[in-house]
Amino acid sequence: ELALLKNAELVEKNDIFARDMFLLSFYGRGINFIDLIQLKKTDLYKETITYKRSKTGVIVNFKINYFWKRKIEEYASSADSFYLFNIIHNNQNSETYINNKKEKYLKIYINTPLKKIITSLGIKKKITYYCARHSFATILKFNNISLDIIKEALGHKDIKSTMSYLNTLPSNTLNKMIDDVIF
């Protein structure tokens, strides 16, 4: 499903933006939208993003990939902005302004187009921006990455938060993992 979304031939600017934001979250260790829009140019050093999660205060860093590099260029803020992406304007930093911007973008420019895209791809799931975070964590779990590493990657303070993200493995996945070990 992620590959379908990633490779979808999209024409409309809003659809492309919605997909790009979803994939930025996925490739950015599930970065929340509030944190994504508040990334500053100074948070990018060489090829690493380092920021403090607004929800937990935990410092998260990740190496950017080719997709991130392209999107930083494509959605770059103006030269006089201290923000990385051109979403928050005039160097606004009031909590009310940022929350309003987050809500508007998620509702109008991301989740609504995502719903349309997902339906057109024949995916019968309710997908929102936030699903990128869950998808990132779930893929790590399916690849036998430890909960401690997933916790750190997501910027959680405790393992309980991480475990709430991860559903139990589907029985076919669990069966394959057991078969691979036993047989």
Side-chain angles (χ1 to χ4, degrees):
E1 293 163 344
L2 189 62
L4 280 174
L5 177 62
K6 182 179 172 184
N7 298 319
E9 294 291 328
L10 303 176
V11 177
E12 293 183 35
K13 186 178 176 182
N14 283 352
D15 293 349
I16 294 167
F17 179 80
R19 178 190 50 201
D20 288 351
M21 293 299 115
F22 184 92
L23 291 174
L24 281 171
S25 176
F26 178 77
Y27 292 129
R29 295 190 180 176
I31 188 171
N32 288 334
F33 192 64
I34 191 80
D35 294 324
L36 178 79
I37 66 175
Q38 292 184 92
L39 287 175
K40 295 180 179 59
K41 292 174 182 172
T42 56
D43 294 335
L44 174 62
Y45 179 71
K46 295 188 179 182
E47 295 190 356
T48 301
I49 298 271
T50 303
Y51 70 98
K52 185 194 293 189
R53 277 198 71 211
S54 57
K55 186 174 182 179
T56 62
V58 173
I59 301 295
V60 176
N61 64 59
F62 61 91
K63 186 174 188 272
I64 61 172
N65 64 6
Y66 177 72
F67 182 83
W68 261 82
K69 289 176 192 174
R70 280 192 3 241
K71 297 310 165 184
I72 287 170
E73 291 173 11
E74 188 174 335
Y75 299 112
S77 63
S78 61
D80 62 338
S81 175
F82 48 72
Y83 291 107
L84 193 58
F85 294 108
N86 189 27
I87 296 173
I88 297 175
H89 300 115
N90 303 322
N91 289 328
Q92 287 281 346
N93 64 359
S94 83
E95 190 175 332
T96 303
Y97 173 85
I98 290 169
N99 280 326
N100 288 341
K101 192 63 96 162
K102 175 195 87 159
E103 293 299 324
K104 178 181 178 180
Y105 266 74
L106 282 174
K107 182 178 181 181
I108 297 170
Y109 300 114
I110 299 174
N111 291 333
T112 299
L114 269 179
K115 182 179 180 181
K116 182 182 82 169
I117 295 164
I118 295 303
T119 301
S120 74
L121 293 173
I123 299 170
K124 302 202 182 316
K125 292 181 179 172
K126 182 182 177 196
I127 304 293
T128 64
Y129 175 91
Y130 203 66
C131 293
R133 186 168 173 80
H134 286 269
S135 297
F136 170 76
T138 301
I139 287 171
L140 292 181
K141 179 182 177 183
F142 282 3
N143 283 281
N144 301 315
I145 304 299
S146 77
L147 286 177
D148 283 330
I149 291 172
I150 298 171
K151 173 185 146 293
E152 186 176 327
L154 292 173
H156 286 153
K157 283 186 174 180
D158 61 67
I159 205 78
K160 289 179 190 175
S161 298
T162 308
M163 291 177 71
S164 72
Y165 271 70
L166 304 171
N167 300 325
T168 57
L169 289 170
S171 58
N172 60 340
T173 303
L174 190 55
N175 289 341
K176 182 183 178 335
M177 291 170 75
I178 291 169
D179 287 350
D180 289 347
V181 169
I182 302 221
F183 300 105

